[in-house]
Amino acid sequence: MNILILGSGGREHSLAWAVKQNPRTDRLIVAPGNAGIAQLAEVAAIDILDGAAVVAFCAENAVDFVIIGPEAPLAAGVADAARAAGILTFGPSADAAKLEASKSFTKEICDACGAPTAAYARFTDSAAARAHIRAQGAPIVVKADGLAAGKGVIVAVTEAEALAAIDDMFGGEFGAAGAEVVIEEFMTGEEASFFVLTDGINALPIGTAQDHKRAFDGDTGPNTGGMGAYSPAPVLTEAVQAQAMAEIVLPTIREMARRGTPYQGVLYAGLMIKEGRARLVEYNARFGDPECQVLMMRLGAQVLDLLLACVEGRLAEARVNWADDHALTVVMAARGYPGAYARGSVIHGLKRLPEDSRHMCFHAGTVEREGRILANGGRVLNITARGASLAEARNRAYAMLDHLDWPEGFCRGDIGWRALS
Ligand code: AMP
Ligand code: GLY
């Protein structure tokens, strides 16, 4: 079959890598893609936020199946447009993607289905929000309601920080995303990510992961989109996964269906685990980045069969073939990220990296110019490896880094530390 993947990051490179290995794949196109993706698939320059453009491209290229990587096209209704045109599409409708696109919507769903999450209040008015913070005290968490590219959440250690966040949000720092603000109880515990495929009724867990959000070693420095990840997440034991399915994921799926907006795609539950019990931190309507890279490294070619079972409503009979393995990815970012950074530096040594079922360098932000690969984003490469143990996966990934020659980049040296210590 002919398959189109939308997106241009390491997540989409890893999806393309896994899908490409499945014998059902005839033609694989990624839009807009990047330099690494172009080494294994066709790339196409289409506006992935424009549903009509995506549908027209699918018609011209006899695309049978569309896989939507990032949240922005989901929130823009690209899955709705593609499905309305009769194209098999992996990814939730805009109504269902509100589970990521609106924090207050998610809280409303949790209330309706009884899913455990942080206590909260929502505000459209600065004075009321400030009064609430003064009454609750710190630590406290302030969130812009809408999509803010991962920057709309302030975990405030002091009341002053929380009040400043309110001023920023109602002052327009996050645009329309900050017109409504959710203020939450600060939860303690260990965070992990749980990935579940759902066809709207049935649900199939496909893996767990943990990422490292801070820029520097020892989980210090500014928050980023993620500097590395590993799978599985030891804190998400079978028992915790069962509790999260029974109390959080399945009730959410049922509530979405009950409202006439069934959720189809991957539901990424960000969980806070304490004393063997998970509470919901947030949902995402897509695979995590870089969590997807470690999941794909472990699942491989069967991913395409699972995604097709999801879109064709056959998840009840689908099974994951688990290997007792571990995967870990180290993000190479441009110096300065997540602040200002330069584009265009040349990355040397990529050809020396092993690429096989145990090692893969997924590109997150690269471009090719005259045969050279240049950095073209904040997060640039995802050095990913698999092993029989997490330590083996970690050692393989860091050994790959020795082949790279890119002085303008940096990475953390301690990915996986929590699970390894
Ligand atoms: P979110 O975008 O909602 O996942 O928030 C980003 C990060 O902020 C999460 O991954 C957590 O580390 C942290 N966070 C969000 N909400 C809370 C909460 N209620 N308590 C503690 N930490 C939180
Ligand atoms: N790595 C976190 C995310 O994809 O949202």
Side-chain angles (χ1 to χ4, degrees):
M1 67 193 319
N2 297 335
I3 300 172
L4 172 66
I5 299 176
L6 302 184
S8 62
R11 169 179 46 213
E12 289 77 22
H13 190 179
S14 69
L15 283 166
W17 174 81
V19 163
K20 175 77 185 269
Q21 294 171 44
N22 191 300
R24 293 164 87 164
T25 304
D26 295 313
R27 193 172 163 209
L28 179 61
I29 313 167
V30 183
N34 63 38
I37 293 171
Q39 291 167 4
L40 61 80
E42 297 171 50
V43 294
I46 46 180
D47 177 0
I48 65 166
L49 298 182
D50 180 346
V54 171
V55 167
F57 181 88
C58 290
E60 281 157 27
N61 293 277
V63 169
D64 303 297
F65 183 35
V66 180
I67 301 167
I68 304 180
E71 62 275 21
L74 296 169
V78 171
D80 305 75
R83 269 196 285 273
I87 304 162
L88 275 181
T89 305
F90 179 80
S93 66
D95 282 339
K98 277 180 78 182
L99 281 178
E100 172 164 6
S102 166
K103 311 254 184 219
S104 62
F105 176 77
T106 297
K107 288 300 199 181
E108 205 178 290
I109 295 290
C110 287
D111 282 350
C113 71
T117 184
Y120 76 103
R122 50 204 275 197
F123 299 92
T124 49
D125 166 75
S126 164
R130 295 175 67 93
H132 179 78
I133 287 167
R134 289 221 175 78
Q136 297 290 317
I140 194 161
V141 182
V142 180
K143 302 185 175 183
D145 179 63
L147 290 179
K151 299 190 181 95
V153 174
I154 309 296
V155 178
V157 179
T158 64
E159 224 175 276
E161 260 177 88
L163 294 172
I166 291 296
D167 291 342
D168 289 345
M169 287 179 194
F170 286 119
E173 178 159 337
F174 301 102
E180 180 168 348
V181 165
V182 174
I183 302 180
E184 285 185 16
E185 162 204 359
F186 172 74
M187 294 189 285
T188 56
E190 189 170 341
E191 261 188 282
S193 306
F194 186 34
F195 296 88
V196 178
L197 294 182
T198 171
D199 53 21
I201 299 167
N202 304 291
L204 181 70
I206 55 160
T208 64
Q210 273 174 295
D211 76 347
H212 295 260
K213 288 193 201 290
R214 301 297 193 103
F216 308 131
D217 282 18
D219 290 327
T220 58
N223 260 315
T224 71
M227 292 299 292
Y230 52 95
S231 172
V235 66
L236 280 177
T237 59
E238 294 282 332
V240 178
Q241 287 185 51
Q243 175 252 329
M245 281 298 278
E247 295 183 12
I248 302 174
V249 174
L250 290 171
T252 298
I253 291 169
R254 283 194 292 267
E255 176 61 18
M256 294 300 286
R258 192 191 66 76
R259 292 176 176 229
T261 53
Y263 187 101
Q264 181 260 64
V266 59
L267 188 59
Y268 159 176
L271 302 174
M272 187 71 82
I273 298 97
K274 192 180 177 184
E275 289 154 11
R277 231 178 135 255
R279 289 204 283 167
L280 183 73
V281 179
E282 61 157 1
Y283 280 127
N284 291 305
R286 51 170 175 82
F287 283 107
D289 188 342
E291 292 92 327
C292 187
Q293 290 82 314
V294 285
L295 293 179
M296 294 306 123
M297 200 76 202
R298 295 185 62 209
L299 293 168
Q302 67 178 316
V303 160
L304 178 60
D305 303 317
L306 296 172
L307 301 190
L308 283 168
C310 179
V311 302
E312 289 171 345
R314 294 184 288 102
L315 264 189
E317 46 205 77
R319 295 284 171 276
V320 180
N321 280 316
W322 290 112
D324 188 13
D325 60 356
H326 297 254
L328 182 141
T329 189
V330 180
V331 172
M332 287 290 294
R335 285 191 190 282
Y337 174 80
Y341 55 82
R343 290 173 197 259
S345 56
V346 182
I347 305 167
H348 295 283
L350 285 166
K351 291 211 172 80
R352 293 194 291 267
L353 295 180
E355 286 197 353
D356 52 41
S357 61
R358 291 173 174 166
H359 306 87
M360 193 59 206
C361 170
F362 296 118
H363 290 217
T366 61
V367 65
E368 194 235 288
R369 292 272 182 273
E370 292 152 8
R372 300 192 301 182
I373 305 291
L374 312 184
N376 191 40
R379 292 188 293 171
V380 175
L381 300 171
N382 308 140
I383 309 297
T384 312
R386 199 157 68 94
S389 65
L390 184 59
E392 188 175 50
R394 188 252 333 249
N395 294 344
R396 282 189 177 137
Y398 278 104
M400 286 168 77
L401 278 167
D402 294 340
H403 298 291
L404 267 190
D405 174 12
W406 181 39
E408 293 85 357
F410 78 99
C411 68
R412 280 182 57 163
D414 63 348
I415 299 304
W417 70 267
R418 196 187 293 275
L420 287 162
S421 63

